[in-house]
């Protein structure tokens, strides 16, 4: 049984690197796992940052994977981008992959990062080794039936994302301020009303887990709230493609007690994406997957024939 307590992570010791994209923007990333191993690109949640993949390091090292965890535009240390769309992200991914001479690579995305997993599965399937959408978001704007499953806070965010985009930055700024100024447990307690019992037990049951939760969000707001707010808005708005158009077999991992991204999101995506596989974690919440890297990498090795 996997220990649900994360080790203490010294985020200041993580080496941040930068790649200059073709248009001059900076794409910040951190590397974990085995240098020169099979490349996996990690897409963080929303709000999130490159720090989010840190718990993967020992398991990636043992499994022979090299993880490249990116900050999306305006998040963490990556440059802002004007009028950026979700389908611009696969272009940035290819820019980085070509620079690194990664002809093919795997993808893992958590929470809001799952939306960008699906964007890549749609736009660049020929470059992928595998794609894991873990506790991922769904196209709630495009599918009305999914909106009823949203938590109250997400319903509020959806409403202002669709109607009052300029105001969307204000509530996100409050999240960033809380992550910066509250204690680890204080920040977790602020959001506990949006958590399932499993997530409350996971985050509040361990000082290390609470530290991890606040740190990944805090780093997302390193340049202010504009970047994380824009990133979230893209998830709430039309993605620019339909899941039914994806022909790549996305692997969907999701807990049944996820309040941040409802389990019905996973059920809908599994039905919509041809060839997708759904793995269910009964009774588990949104952040449980960060303790499942051993199982995740084992699944990749066994089923993706690597």
């Amino acid at each position: 049984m996997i220990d649900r307590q994360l080790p203490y992570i010294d985020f200041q010791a993580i080496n941040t690197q930068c790649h200059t994209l073709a248009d001059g923007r900076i794409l910040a990333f951190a590397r974990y796992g085995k240098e020169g191993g099979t490349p996996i690109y990690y897409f963080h949640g929303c709000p999130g940052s490159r720090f989010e993949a840190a718990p993967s390091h020992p398991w990636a090292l043992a499994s022979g994977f090299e993880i490249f965890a990116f900050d999306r535009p305006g998040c963490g240390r990556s440059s802002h981008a004007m009028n950026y769309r979700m389908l611009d992200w696969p272009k940035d991914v290819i820019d980085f992959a070509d620079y690194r001479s990664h002809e093919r690579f795997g993808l893992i995305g958590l929470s809001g990062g799952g939306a960008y997993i699906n964007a890549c599965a749609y736009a660049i399937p020929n470059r992928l080794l595998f794609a894991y959408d873990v506790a991922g978001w769904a196209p709630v704007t495009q599918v009305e039936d999914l909106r009823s499953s949203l938590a109250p806070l997400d319903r509020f965010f959806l409403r202002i994302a669709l109607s009052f985009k300029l105001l969307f930055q204000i509530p996100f700024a409050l999240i960033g301020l809380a992550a910066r100024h509250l204690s680890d447990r204080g920040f977790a307690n602020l959001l506990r009303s949006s958590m399932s019992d499993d997530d409350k037990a996971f985050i509040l049951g361990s000082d290390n887990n609470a530290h991890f939760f606040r740190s990944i969000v805090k780093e997302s707001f390193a340049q202010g709230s504009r970047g994380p707010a824009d990133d979230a808005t893209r998830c709430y708005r039309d993605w620019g493609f339909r899941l039914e158009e994806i022909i790549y077999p996305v692997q969907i991992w999701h807990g049944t007690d996820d309040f941040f991204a409802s389990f019905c999101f996973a059920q809908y995506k599994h039905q919509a994406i041809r060839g997708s596989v759904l793995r269910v974690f009964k009774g588990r919440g949104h952040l449980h997957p960060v303790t499942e890297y051993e199982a995740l990498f084992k699944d990749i090795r066994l089923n993706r024939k690597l």
Side-chain angles (χ1 to χ4, degrees):
M1 183 175 181
I2 295 175
D3 184 0
R4 294 247 296 168
Q5 174 165 294
L6 299 174
Y8 178 79
I9 299 170
D10 181 1
F11 291 101
Q12 291 186 341
I14 293 176
N15 181 31
T16 297
Q17 301 181 54
C18 295
H19 167 66
T20 302
L21 296 163
D23 63 2
R25 286 182 294 116
I26 296 299
L27 180 68
F29 65 97
R31 293 165 61 180
Y32 307 97
K34 181 181 179 181
E35 186 172 355
T38 302
I40 298 178
Y41 295 174
Y42 183 93
F43 303 163
H44 62 72
C46 185
S49 63
R50 66 197 180 282
F51 289 166
E52 194 174 284
S56 73
H57 176 70
W59 306 114
L61 189 64
S63 301
F65 294 121
E66 184 170 21
I67 311 293
F68 296 84
F70 306 107
D71 288 336
R72 287 192 293 276
C75 300
R77 310 292 166 169
S78 286
S79 301
H80 288 280
M82 294 293 294
N83 301 316
Y84 196 84
R85 303 168 304 155
M86 188 169 290
L87 285 175
D88 289 325
W89 179 246
K91 301 173 187 177
D92 288 350
V93 168
I94 291 300
D95 186 310
F96 179 84
D98 288 346
Y99 173 76
R100 302 289 306 194
S101 298
H102 294 159
E103 182 60 32
R104 298 183 74 199
F105 45 85
L107 301 179
I108 297 172
L110 177 68
S111 189
Y116 293 88
I117 290 290
N118 289 296
C120 288
Y122 166 77
I124 54 171
N126 60 312
R127 298 295 295 268
L128 305 184
L129 292 169
F130 50 83
Y132 280 74
D133 174 353
V134 182
W137 198 248
V140 292
T141 297
Q142 295 159 283
V143 185
E144 187 173 352
D145 288 347
L146 296 177
R147 300 179 195 177
S148 62
S149 67
L150 292 175
L153 182 61
D154 281 313
R155 291 178 192 170
F156 169 71
F157 281 150
L158 175 63
R159 187 163 59 251
I160 60 174
L162 295 178
S163 304
F164 308 102
K165 183 179 178 182
L166 292 177
L167 294 178
F168 190 88
Q169 189 172 335
I170 297 174
F172 250 66
L174 296 177
I175 295 175
L177 287 171
R180 179 176 296 276
H181 295 292
L182 293 180
S183 66
D184 293 336
R185 287 188 173 274
F187 180 68
N189 275 312
L190 182 69
L191 298 176
R192 67 178 297 150
S193 64
S194 297
M195 300 179 193
S196 66
D197 288 341
D198 186 64
D199 279 323
K200 290 175 188 175
F202 174 74
I203 298 171
L204 295 170
S206 162
D207 289 343
N208 290 353
N209 295 0
H211 176 66
F212 169 78
F213 181 56
R214 184 176 73 92
S215 296
I216 61 176
V217 175
K218 176 183 175 182
E219 179 60 20
S220 185
F221 290 86
Q223 301 178 75
S225 60
R226 175 183 150 200
D230 285 350
D231 191 48
T233 300
R234 286 189 287 273
C235 290
Y236 285 111
R237 292 190 160 201
D238 192 298
W239 290 3
F241 63 95
R242 298 190 62 80
L243 296 182
E244 290 82 358
E245 298 175 289
I246 297 174
I247 60 173
Y248 194 83
V250 177
Q251 309 298 308
I252 303 167
W253 287 32
H254 216 109
T256 59
D257 288 14
D258 189 336
F259 286 7
F260 287 106
S262 172
F263 181 62
C264 73
F265 289 3
Q267 293 173 307
Y268 172 78
K269 288 183 288 187
H270 178 45
Q271 183 179 38
I273 301 173
R274 284 171 287 173
S276 64
V277 175
L278 174 60
R279 179 165 179 177
V280 179
F281 294 87
K282 188 172 178 59
R284 294 305 192 187
H286 193 62
L287 289 179
H288 175 70
V290 303
T291 68
E292 290 285 356
Y293 281 112
E294 182 180 22
L296 178 59
F297 293 147
K298 183 178 180 180
D299 186 79
I300 291 171
R301 281 293 181 201
L302 287 176
N303 298 321
R304 309 286 85 75
K305 297 181 175 60
L306 297 177

